Structures are given as C-alpha cells and as structure tokens.
Amino acid sequence: MEKPCVLASREHMGSPGSMFTSFSAHIEEHFTVVEPDRIRASPELCSKIRAVMLWDGTPPVTRTLLQSLPNLKVVVNGGVGVDHLDIPLINSFGVRVCNTPHVVDNATADLAMALMLASARRVIEGDHFSRCHGDGEVLDHLPLATDVSGSTLGIVGMGRIGYKVAKRAAAFDMKILYHNRNRRSVEEEQAVGATFCPLLADLLHAADFVMVVVNLSKETTHLIGREQLSAMKPTATLVNVSRGMVVDQEALVDALQKKRIKAAALDVTYPEPLPRDHPLLSLPNVIVLPHMGTHTLETTGHMVQKMVTNALAALAGDTPPDEVKR
C-alpha cells in the first residue's frame, strides 16, 4: 500500500546527527518524505501531502502553503513551543496541530543547570584561557567564580520543566524560590524545598540566579524587561531557557553593559541565531547557545517517535495524543 506523503525539509534536517539523518528509517517506515522544493517544482504533488513535519519552524506553515495542500490533515511540530504557528489559521483549514510535550523536559532542565553552572564557574573563560594563554600567563588574572551550592535560585515558571530544574537545584542545596500563575501543592513544594513568590518582584530582589522557564504568549512577551532587570541584584545572573522574546534583549544588553546585573546565560534569543555583530555576543559575561535545549540523541529520538505517532493518529481520523488547541 502506498505510504502517505509528509512534507519535511531534508536540507534543514540533513546535517550529521540531525533528526532526519539519525531517524529517517523510523519516519520513512510510515511516510514518503516530500521536500518543499519538490512541490514547488511539481505542483501535482501538493494533493498527495497529508502531513507536515516541522523542525525549528521549517518548513514555514503559511496561508499560501495551506491553500496549496488540499488534503493536508495535520501539522506536527518537533518540540513544545508552537508560538511560530498560527493555530487558528491552520485549524480554519480543517488541519490539526500537534507538538511533542513531556519528552523535552529532562533535556531542557539539564541544559538549564549546565548554563547556570557554566556561567557561575566561568567555564567558557577557563576553556578559552587553556587554549589561548600566553607563555607564563596564570589563571589569577581571571575574576573569581561564584558558588552555585547554597545560593538562591529564582525559577520564573514552575511547570514541568521548571519543577525538574527545582529537583536538580535541590541537590545543590540551593534555596529555591518560584513564581508561577498557579501555586504548586504543599507536597510538591516540600519535595524540593521551594517557596512560592506571588509577586515576581519579590523573587527578583532575592535570587542569585533567575531562571526563566515559561511558555511564550502575549502575557509573557518581554516578561523580563527593564523594570524586572533593575529589580535583580547587581550580583545576579539571568538564565533563559524558554523563548527569546520573553526577555527584552535591548534592556538586557543595557543592564549587562551598565553592570546592573552580573551575567546572562541564554539558550534562546531573537532572532536565532543572533547576527554575528549583535552586542550580546561581544560581552564577556554572557553565554549564548543556539537553542540547544532538546538537542540530544535520546530526546530527539523520542520527539520523532511522538511526531510519527501524532501524524498517524490524525491520518487515521483519531484524536492525536498531543493535539494543541487555541
């Protein structure tokens, strides 16, 4: 029986270790992969496309694309965040939208801790010194690092990932504060030693490390702006593993340059990646990663499995297990 066609970008996913290269067998067991260039060259293929699989927002799901795919049933996003998708527009074409929640939680929480530790302990600067030091130069010229153990961590957004960060931080004997739309249960708070801060400002005033782990929405866009950065300790570090737009980057650059906060460690920015001449990249007290929170072999494998499962369910007329509705 002919396999259903799925629109996916091999070029975007074709680098060594990428999703398609590493997991193509699992995808192609169930689907025939059609690249965007092929439907542009052969418009007759459009009627065969029944699913779109996105990775890092590619291929873009626009009104024009939706109009060109009359038999499309589902758009499946590799990852949790769907802020790059116009879900009401997609749904208006009778097309479902799915993501891949839960499987990304541990990998993202691990990277959040890695960023905090790398920034506090000046890991990047130490590596640079080891590679580039001059003859007779000693480490003493580098500023002293900061202890993570025993310090105060403020988690902004105590959802699944935020709670896993708290579990990891508890092992470092950190004092844990959190701000969230909804308070966790007393049992959950006690399990990690977390204290709820109804006011974000209270968390910002007290935390040595402010960890941002929220979904991007209208309410959270620039949630961390000039006012919030000014409320942080001058010795505090901002860590962002949510979405770039949650932080006002211009305000962050200003706060770092004027030493209103000590440092920043970012897995997310806007745009991604940043232009090479962006001021954040010139600051020695900043770590910037290219959105690597879920980029592990194991997590990506689980994400691909979820993408395939959701797509197959939608094509069978069933409700996909991870359908996203707005």
Side-chain angles (χ1 to χ4, degrees), residues 268-285:
V268 288
T269 58
Y270 59 93
E272 292 174 350
L274 286 175
R276 292 288 297 275
D277 61 352
H278 194 281
L280 276 174
L281 300 178
S282 67
L283 297 171
N285 53 343

PDB file of all heavy atoms in Angstrom, residues 268-285:
ATOM      1  N   VAL A 268      18.202  30.768  24.304  1.00  0.00           N
ATOM      2  CA  VAL A 268      17.234  31.285  23.330  1.00  0.00           C
ATOM      3  C   VAL A 268      17.433  32.782  23.150  1.00  0.00           C
ATOM      4  O   VAL A 268      17.756  33.498  24.096  1.00  0.00           O
ATOM      5  CB  VAL A 268      15.791  30.984  23.781  1.00  0.00           C
ATOM      6  CG1 VAL A 268      15.479  29.511  23.640  1.00  0.00           C
ATOM      7  CG2 VAL A 268      15.561  31.436  25.223  1.00  0.00           C
ATOM      8  N   THR A 269      17.230  33.248  21.921  1.00  0.00           N
ATOM      9  CA  THR A 269      17.384  34.666  21.585  1.00  0.00           C
ATOM     10  C   THR A 269      16.362  35.013  20.506  1.00  0.00           C
ATOM     11  O   THR A 269      15.610  34.151  20.042  1.00  0.00           O
ATOM     12  CB  THR A 269      18.797  34.963  21.041  1.00  0.00           C
ATOM     13  OG1 THR A 269      19.027  34.128  19.882  1.00  0.00           O
ATOM     14  CG2 THR A 269      19.862  34.678  22.093  1.00  0.00           C
ATOM     15  N   TYR A 270      16.360  36.259  20.075  1.00  0.00           N
ATOM     16  CA  TYR A 270      15.628  36.608  18.860  1.00  0.00           C
ATOM     17  C   TYR A 270      16.454  37.614  18.094  1.00  0.00           C
ATOM     18  O   TYR A 270      16.897  38.607  18.674  1.00  0.00           O
ATOM     19  CB  TYR A 270      14.215  37.136  19.163  1.00  0.00           C
ATOM     20  CG  TYR A 270      14.128  38.373  20.034  1.00  0.00           C
ATOM     21  CD1 TYR A 270      14.062  39.659  19.478  1.00  0.00           C
ATOM     22  CD2 TYR A 270      14.100  38.257  21.427  1.00  0.00           C
ATOM     23  CE1 TYR A 270      13.960  40.788  20.280  1.00  0.00           C
ATOM     24  CE2 TYR A 270      13.996  39.386  22.239  1.00  0.00           C
ATOM     25  CZ  TYR A 270      13.919  40.637  21.663  1.00  0.00           C
ATOM     26  OH  TYR A 270      13.829  41.755  22.469  1.00  0.00           O
ATOM     27  N   PRO A 271      16.770  37.312  16.816  1.00  0.00           N
ATOM     28  CA  PRO A 271      16.445  36.047  16.144  1.00  0.00           C
ATOM     29  C   PRO A 271      17.387  34.932  16.594  1.00  0.00           C
ATOM     30  O   PRO A 271      18.272  35.168  17.422  1.00  0.00           O
ATOM     31  CB  PRO A 271      16.671  36.389  14.667  1.00  0.00           C
ATOM     32  CG  PRO A 271      17.774  37.400  14.698  1.00  0.00           C
ATOM     33  CD  PRO A 271      17.520  38.237  15.925  1.00  0.00           C
ATOM     34  N   GLU A 272      17.168  33.752  16.044  1.00  0.00           N
ATOM     35  CA  GLU A 272      18.062  32.619  16.299  1.00  0.00           C
ATOM     36  C   GLU A 272      18.597  32.107  14.973  1.00  0.00           C
ATOM     37  O   GLU A 272      17.799  31.768  14.100  1.00  0.00           O
ATOM     38  CB  GLU A 272      17.314  31.493  17.021  1.00  0.00           C
ATOM     39  CG  GLU A 272      16.925  31.850  18.433  1.00  0.00           C
ATOM     40  CD  GLU A 272      16.050  30.812  19.123  1.00  0.00           C
ATOM     41  OE1 GLU A 272      15.578  29.886  18.417  1.00  0.00           O
ATOM     42  OE2 GLU A 272      15.833  30.931  20.338  1.00  0.00           O
ATOM     43  N   PRO A 273      19.903  32.031  14.793  1.00  0.00           N
ATOM     44  CA  PRO A 273      20.930  32.550  15.699  1.00  0.00           C
ATOM     45  C   PRO A 273      21.030  34.067  15.606  1.00  0.00           C
ATOM     46  O   PRO A 273      20.527  34.678  14.661  1.00  0.00           O
ATOM     47  CB  PRO A 273      22.209  31.899  15.178  1.00  0.00           C
ATOM     48  CG  PRO A 273      21.961  31.730  13.706  1.00  0.00           C
ATOM     49  CD  PRO A 273      20.487  31.393  13.596  1.00  0.00           C
ATOM     50  N   LEU A 274      21.697  34.663  16.596  1.00  0.00           N
ATOM     51  CA  LEU A 274      21.911  36.106  16.574  1.00  0.00           C
ATOM     52  C   LEU A 274      22.871  36.490  15.450  1.00  0.00           C
ATOM     53  O   LEU A 274      23.779  35.716  15.113  1.00  0.00           O
ATOM     54  CB  LEU A 274      22.512  36.568  17.905  1.00  0.00           C
ATOM     55  CG  LEU A 274      21.592  36.616  19.121  1.00  0.00           C
ATOM     56  CD1 LEU A 274      22.405  36.985  20.357  1.00  0.00           C
ATOM     57  CD2 LEU A 274      20.450  37.605  18.918  1.00  0.00           C
ATOM     58  N   PRO A 275      22.710  37.678  14.867  1.00  0.00           N
ATOM     59  CA  PRO A 275      23.718  38.181  13.925  1.00  0.00           C
ATOM     60  C   PRO A 275      25.085  38.245  14.609  1.00  0.00           C
ATOM     61  O   PRO A 275      25.171  38.514  15.816  1.00  0.00           O
ATOM     62  CB  PRO A 275      23.217  39.581  13.562  1.00  0.00           C
ATOM     63  CG  PRO A 275      21.767  39.574  13.914  1.00  0.00           C
ATOM     64  CD  PRO A 275      21.595  38.632  15.060  1.00  0.00           C
ATOM     65  N   ARG A 276      26.140  38.005  13.859  1.00  0.00           N
ATOM     66  CA  ARG A 276      27.476  37.944  14.450  1.00  0.00           C
ATOM     67  C   ARG A 276      27.886  39.246  15.126  1.00  0.00           C
ATOM     68  O   ARG A 276      28.726  39.254  16.033  1.00  0.00           O
ATOM     69  CB  ARG A 276      28.508  37.584  13.362  1.00  0.00           C
ATOM     70  CG  ARG A 276      28.365  36.163  12.821  1.00  0.00           C
ATOM     71  CD  ARG A 276      28.812  35.118  13.836  1.00  0.00           C
ATOM     72  NE  ARG A 276      30.219  35.268  14.144  1.00  0.00           N
ATOM     73  CZ  ARG A 276      31.210  34.729  13.422  1.00  0.00           C
ATOM     74  NH1 ARG A 276      30.933  34.020  12.338  1.00  0.00           N
ATOM     75  NH2 ARG A 276      32.467  34.883  13.789  1.00  0.00           N
ATOM     76  N   ASP A 277      27.288  40.355  14.697  1.00  0.00           N
ATOM     77  CA  ASP A 277      27.655  41.647  15.287  1.00  0.00           C
ATOM     78  C   ASP A 277      26.710  42.079  16.403  1.00  0.00           C
ATOM     79  O   ASP A 277      26.757  43.228  16.847  1.00  0.00           O
ATOM     80  CB  ASP A 277      27.709  42.730  14.206  1.00  0.00           C
ATOM     81  CG  ASP A 277      26.360  42.935  13.505  1.00  0.00           C
ATOM     82  OD1 ASP A 277      25.426  42.136  13.744  1.00  0.00           O
ATOM     83  OD2 ASP A 277      26.245  43.893  12.717  1.00  0.00           O
ATOM     84  N   HIS A 278      25.856  41.188  16.887  1.00  0.00           N
ATOM     85  CA  HIS A 278      24.927  41.563  17.950  1.00  0.00           C
ATOM     86  C   HIS A 278      25.709  41.859  19.225  1.00  0.00           C
ATOM     87  O   HIS A 278      26.645  41.137  19.575  1.00  0.00           O
ATOM     88  CB  HIS A 278      23.924  40.433  18.210  1.00  0.00           C
ATOM     89  CG  HIS A 278      22.758  40.861  19.038  1.00  0.00           C
ATOM     90  ND1 HIS A 278      22.818  40.995  20.416  1.00  0.00           N
ATOM     91  CD2 HIS A 278      21.483  41.224  18.686  1.00  0.00           C
ATOM     92  CE1 HIS A 278      21.651  41.396  20.871  1.00  0.00           C
ATOM     93  NE2 HIS A 278      20.822  41.542  19.847  1.00  0.00           N
ATOM     94  N   PRO A 279      25.343  42.922  19.946  1.00  0.00           N
ATOM     95  CA  PRO A 279      26.115  43.310  21.141  1.00  0.00           C
ATOM     96  C   PRO A 279      26.165  42.234  22.225  1.00  0.00           C
ATOM     97  O   PRO A 279      27.137  42.184  22.986  1.00  0.00           O
ATOM     98  CB  PRO A 279      25.397  44.573  21.639  1.00  0.00           C
ATOM     99  CG  PRO A 279      24.082  44.606  20.939  1.00  0.00           C
ATOM    100  CD  PRO A 279      24.282  43.912  19.642  1.00  0.00           C
ATOM    101  N   LEU A 280      25.182  41.374  22.318  1.00  0.00           N
ATOM    102  CA  LEU A 280      25.238  40.313  23.328  1.00  0.00           C
ATOM    103  C   LEU A 280      26.463  39.419  23.123  1.00  0.00           C
ATOM    104  O   LEU A 280      27.048  38.919  24.083  1.00  0.00           O
ATOM    105  CB  LEU A 280      23.975  39.445  23.279  1.00  0.00           C
ATOM    106  CG  LEU A 280      22.750  39.945  24.041  1.00  0.00           C
ATOM    107  CD1 LEU A 280      21.550  39.049  23.766  1.00  0.00           C
ATOM    108  CD2 LEU A 280      23.024  40.029  25.541  1.00  0.00           C
ATOM    109  N   LEU A 281      26.842  39.228  21.858  1.00  0.00           N
ATOM    110  CA  LEU A 281      27.948  38.327  21.558  1.00  0.00           C
ATOM    111  C   LEU A 281      29.308  38.938  21.859  1.00  0.00           C
ATOM    112  O   LEU A 281      30.326  38.238  21.849  1.00  0.00           O
ATOM    113  CB  LEU A 281      27.883  37.891  20.090  1.00  0.00           C
ATOM    114  CG  LEU A 281      26.601  37.159  19.686  1.00  0.00           C
ATOM    115  CD1 LEU A 281      26.635  36.816  18.206  1.00  0.00           C
ATOM    116  CD2 LEU A 281      26.400  35.900  20.518  1.00  0.00           C
ATOM    117  N   SER A 282      29.330  40.232  22.127  1.00  0.00           N
ATOM    118  CA  SER A 282      30.606  40.896  22.422  1.00  0.00           C
ATOM    119  C   SER A 282      30.867  41.017  23.917  1.00  0.00           C
ATOM    120  O   SER A 282      31.930  41.477  24.329  1.00  0.00           O
ATOM    121  CB  SER A 282      30.628  42.293  21.790  1.00  0.00           C
ATOM    122  OG  SER A 282      29.670  43.143  22.423  1.00  0.00           O
ATOM    123  N   LEU A 283      29.902  40.611  24.730  1.00  0.00           N
ATOM    124  CA  LEU A 283      30.033  40.781  26.170  1.00  0.00           C
ATOM    125  C   LEU A 283      30.648  39.535  26.806  1.00  0.00           C
ATOM    126  O   LEU A 283      30.163  38.419  26.595  1.00  0.00           O
ATOM    127  CB  LEU A 283      28.653  41.041  26.796  1.00  0.00           C
ATOM    128  CG  LEU A 283      27.973  42.336  26.335  1.00  0.00           C
ATOM    129  CD1 LEU A 283      26.540  42.388  26.840  1.00  0.00           C
ATOM    130  CD2 LEU A 283      28.750  43.548  26.824  1.00  0.00           C
ATOM    131  N   PRO A 284      31.696  39.706  27.589  1.00  0.00           N
ATOM    132  CA  PRO A 284      32.382  38.540  28.166  1.00  0.00           C
ATOM    133  C   PRO A 284      31.584  37.843  29.263  1.00  0.00           C
ATOM    134  O   PRO A 284      31.900  36.699  29.605  1.00  0.00           O
ATOM    135  CB  PRO A 284      33.671  39.145  28.740  1.00  0.00           C
ATOM    136  CG  PRO A 284      33.323  40.571  29.036  1.00  0.00           C
ATOM    137  CD  PRO A 284      32.354  40.974  27.959  1.00  0.00           C
ATOM    138  N   ASN A 285      30.577  38.510  29.800  1.00  0.00           N
ATOM    139  CA  ASN A 285      29.791  37.924  30.884  1.00  0.00           C
ATOM    140  C   ASN A 285      28.491  37.301  30.381  1.00  0.00           C
ATOM    141  O   ASN A 285      27.519  37.156  31.137  1.00  0.00           O
ATOM    142  CB  ASN A 285      29.488  38.965  31.965  1.00  0.00           C
ATOM    143  CG  ASN A 285      28.845  40.223  31.389  1.00  0.00           C
ATOM    144  OD1 ASN A 285      28.903  40.477  30.184  1.00  0.00           O
ATOM    145  ND2 ASN A 285      28.235  41.026  32.259  1.00  0.00           N
TER     146      ASN A 285
END
